[in-house]
Amino acid sequence: MVILQVAISLFALCSLTSAQTRGDYSETCVPSDGFGKYCPTTCGVADYLQRYRPVVETDLDRLYDILEEITNLTKGTEEKVVYMRDSATHAKKSVSPDIYIKKSSNMLEDILRFERSIIEQESQIYELEQLLSANEKRMLQLKQMAIQLEQKCQQPCEDTVKIQPITGKDCQEIANRGARTSGLYFVKPAAAKEQFLVYCEIDSTGSGWTVLQRRRDGSVDFNKNWIQFKEGFGYLSPDDTTEYWLGNEKMHLLSTQSSIPYILRIEMVDWDGVRKHADYAMFKVGPEADMYRLTYAYYYGGDAGDAFDGFDFGDDPSDKFYTSHNGMQFSTSDKDNDKYQGNCAKQDGSGWWMNRCHAAHLNGKYYQGGRYTEKDAGQYGYDNGIIWATWHSRWYSMKETTMKMIPINRMSVTGQQANVKNFGGLGDI
Ligand SMILES: [Ca+2]
């Protein structure tokens, strides 16, 4: 009975914990829901417990069968003992020595049979004890796992995400107000109706980067629609371990609020662990009425090359012109604002400042290991990875990316050498 109770309580726990798993399955985006909450652990142990369930149940059934068998055997033996006792009494009463001898030999046979049955029972009892102890051990393990699982699930599933108390119009203002820790902060850009959560990357010198996009491990699907890209999706985490798109509307509010222009920094890590970056001066995301158009004044520098300016892939002389991104409107699978007769965003399964289509594509499909082929790219077969063509080929997808912004006057403080080149982008200075 104890075992049964343990089993029942375990199963109850399993069904409870499996309901706490985190998912990114929502098709539609509700602005106020999901974003900024933090519950990163998928409690896979619950699945493990569920898998164990049929094995334990089978063992228990077998245990009950054997117990029943033994009960029957014991009953039979008891009947035999009664029979033997009766025969002995009867023999004593008998006057005939022949009958007595015959009865005695019968009794002897009975005793032998009885002994054999006892030996058989003993071996069955031994087997049963082994099974019982194995089951108890397994139950104990399951119980311990359940306790661990419970503790693990309680921790992140409670809303215990640490949000830093300082606020500002962007992460640099937050750093200026004394913040020296990277983490989650509320910002309220000048034209924002309400504050919203961002991840601020703040270093010891007091530079505060506002992080706009993060790819890390492919855990978030970037194939989303216009509304989702507008509002943002994915997960913000205080330790910067999760993937997300902050949202076009927020990027617009952040990048257009200040008289001091912003630098957009794109940071990438490839599958050999090499880290490179590209900086763009006077980065701006336009309003929704202008389809969140991307503009910058010039390539400010970096060792990853200027893929936003397009890339000559060698297919056509116009490659570079038609794969540049400065001045492009944002496109999603359900809103085609690109310069291509088809729909780049639909073909590549992501939202981006598509031209015809891209040389830089940080919202692309996540490919483990980096290298992929036309075959891997699915029904359309176009290069749809996380691409930065001036560093790696378009058939190589980056391992990690970050898009973040900082006021340009902080760049001298961060020690970055400006490798200023004026390309023919919009708003040349
Ligand atoms: Ca088009």
Side-chain angles (χ1 to χ4, degrees):
M1 279 319 277
V2 175
I3 295 168
L4 251 183
Q5 280 165 358
V6 171
I8 288 164
S9 58
L10 267 173
F11 300 151
L13 186 67
C14 290
S15 54
L16 194 86
T17 48
S18 61
Q20 295 180 338
T21 54
R22 186 201 81 172
D24 181 37
Y25 308 113
S26 57
E27 281 300 309
T28 53
C29 174
V30 183
S32 60
D33 183 37
F35 191 58
K37 284 183 185 166
Y38 180 54
C39 182
T41 313
T42 302
C43 301
V45 191
D47 296 336
Y48 184 76
L49 288 173
Q50 287 288 7
R51 274 206 304 279
Y52 247 115
R53 183 178 170 164
V55 181
V56 174
E57 276 179 341
T58 313
D59 279 354
L60 282 172
D61 284 348
R62 208 177 135 214
L63 214 101
Y64 289 130
D65 285 349
I66 294 172
L67 268 172
E68 204 173 330
E69 203 178 313
I70 283 180
T71 311
N72 289 340
L73 270 171
T74 313
K75 213 170 158 194
T77 313
E78 272 171 2
E79 279 165 5
K80 275 227 166 68
V81 169
V82 170
Y83 164 74
M84 278 164 65
R85 201 181 291 137
D86 287 352
S87 329
T89 317
H90 194 249
K92 266 184 202 166
K93 281 180 185 168
S94 172
V95 282
S96 165
D98 283 350
I99 293 168
Y100 183 73
I101 287 162
K102 206 179 168 190
K103 289 269 177 194
S104 292
S105 79
N106 278 347
M107 274 174 67
L108 214 65
E109 280 169 26
D110 282 343
I111 285 166
L112 280 172
R113 271 208 299 277
F114 181 56
E115 272 178 353
R116 274 201 297 275
S117 132
I118 282 177
I119 289 165
E120 204 179 305
Q121 277 186 43
E122 272 177 351
S123 84
Q124 267 179 340
I125 284 171
Y126 176 75
E127 201 184 310
L128 190 73
E129 277 175 351
Q130 295 287 312
L131 191 67
L132 204 68
S133 104
N135 265 315
E136 273 173 357
K137 216 183 248 174
R138 190 173 285 167
M139 284 296 181
L140 196 73
Q141 283 173 347
L142 283 172
K143 220 173 159 183
Q144 281 169 346
M145 264 161 57
I147 289 164
Q148 285 172 358
L149 173 69
E150 207 175 17
Q151 286 169 346
K152 211 173 176 185
C153 284
Q154 269 170 4
Q155 216 179 350
C157 291
E158 285 172 6
D159 194 13
T160 55
V161 175
K162 196 174 180 197
I163 295 165
Q164 307 291 336
I166 306 174
T167 62
K169 65 178 185 178
D170 61 12
C171 291
Q172 186 54 58
E173 192 170 271
I174 287 168
N176 293 346
R177 289 174 179 171
R180 285 295 174 272
T181 321
S182 294
L184 298 181
Y185 292 84
F186 278 110
V187 291
K188 193 171 184 295
K193 287 195 183 80
E194 51 188 28
Q195 60 176 16
F196 53 84
L197 211 56
V198 294
Y199 181 80
C200 290
E201 201 182 290
I202 300 173
D203 66 17
S204 54
T205 67
S207 289
W209 294 88
T210 308
V211 181
L212 309 176
Q213 188 254 27
R214 202 74 170 91
R215 306 298 293 273
R216 280 202 169 268
D217 49 19
S219 57
V220 170
D221 182 6
F222 270 57
N223 190 359
K224 306 281 196 214
N225 63 27
W226 182 263
I227 299 284
Q228 288 166 315
F229 270 101
K230 176 185 171 178
E231 300 294 346
F233 57 82
Y235 302 90
L236 283 170
S237 51
D239 54 356
D240 190 30
T241 53
T242 47
E243 301 195 322
Y244 63 93
W245 179 257
L246 188 63
N248 292 339
E249 188 60 32
K250 296 184 182 91
M251 292 183 196
H252 163 65
L253 291 168
L254 281 164
S255 63
T256 55
Q257 63 176 323
S258 171
S259 54
I260 303 169
Y262 285 97
I263 286 275
L264 169 71
R265 169 163 296 181
I266 287 157
E267 254 173 19
M268 291 162 287
V269 183
D270 73 7
W271 290 86
D272 292 320
V274 179
R275 183 179 295 269
K276 291 192 178 187
H277 75 277
D279 293 342
Y280 292 91
M282 304 185 76
F283 158 71
K284 269 180 191 169
V285 174
E288 187 176 19
D290 194 22
M291 303 298 171
Y292 297 118
R293 190 188 299 275
L294 166 75
T295 55
Y296 59 85
Y298 55 93
Y299 177 58
Y300 189 82
D303 49 6
D306 182 10
F308 266 178
D309 195 41
F311 188 76
D312 184 7
F313 290 102
D315 301 333
D316 193 280
S318 64
D319 275 356
K320 193 171 158 71
F321 178 72
Y322 279 122
T323 55
S324 64
H325 296 278
N326 198 1
M328 290 303 121
Q329 292 179 322
F330 203 85
S331 288
T332 54
S333 53
D334 59 338
K335 224 180 202 20
D336 180 0
N337 298 311
D338 63 27
K339 307 286 181 198
Y340 174 53
Q341 71 269 26
N343 183 337
C344 295
K346 193 173 181 183
Q347 287 180 356
D348 292 340
S350 73
W352 192 245
W353 295 281
M354 295 289 188
N355 187 341
R356 201 170 96 179
C357 290
H358 52 69
H361 185 218
L362 302 183
N363 287 347
K365 192 174 165 187
Y366 198 89
Y367 285 101
Q368 292 290 339
R371 285 173 214 293
Y372 68 106
T373 64
E374 285 176 36
K375 247 187 194 165
D376 303 322
Q379 111 181 76
Y380 296 103
Y382 291 109
D383 47 330
N384 63 353
I386 302 168
I387 298 163
W388 196 260
T390 52
W391 180 11
H392 281 295
S393 113
R394 54 182 154 172
W395 298 104
Y396 184 99
S397 184
M398 297 296 167
K399 184 169 184 279
E400 292 180 28
T401 70
T402 309
M403 289 172 66
K404 55 187 184 182
M405 52 182 271
I406 199 165
I408 198 164
N409 59 345
R410 285 299 303 185
M411 290 306 281
S412 53
V413 188
T414 60
Q416 290 299 322
Q417 291 300 313
N419 175 22
V420 180
K421 283 180 192 170
N422 283 299
F423 285 116
L426 296 185
D428 260 353
I429 55 167

